[in-house]
Amino acid sequence: MDKAAFESHDGEVANFLPGDLDLGHVGTPRNSDRMNDAFTTFKLATGTDLVSVAVEAGVITAEQGEQVKAVWANHIQS
């Protein structure tokens, strides 16, 4: 394939195997990807705020807060 779907077709057929394709999306981010990124950012910010409140209230130590944030970020990313 040597032209995008929206470009005119020159009639030439290109053969390729599925293994020759690169997985993923190229170009403008999809709306679903943008929404996922927004929700991930929101979840991380919420976790960070929660940890800050707990540290300020003396419920957990700053070191424990950093551990909780790291665990939460790892959980969100996977």
Side-chain angles (χ1 to χ4, degrees), residues 2-78:
D2 56 2
K3 298 223 182 256
F6 58 86
E7 295 179 5
S8 63
H9 189 282
D10 63 3
E12 184 178 337
V13 176
N15 294 315
F16 57 91
L17 297 172
D20 295 336
L21 299 175
D22 291 330
L23 298 177
H25 177 75
V26 177
T28 305
R30 298 176 182 154
N31 285 337
S32 60
D33 292 340
R34 289 180 179 178
M35 289 299 293
N36 285 339
D37 291 345
F39 278 116
T40 299
T41 301
F42 175 72
K43 289 176 187 177
L44 288 172
T46 303
T48 300
D49 290 347
L50 178 63
V51 167
S52 296
V53 170
V55 169
E56 288 174 12
V59 176
I60 60 175
T61 65
E63 293 81 20
Q64 289 171 326
E66 291 304 316
Q67 291 175 343
V68 169
K69 284 194 264 186
V71 169
W72 182 245
N74 187 39
H75 171 73
I76 296 298
Q77 301 300 330
S78 55

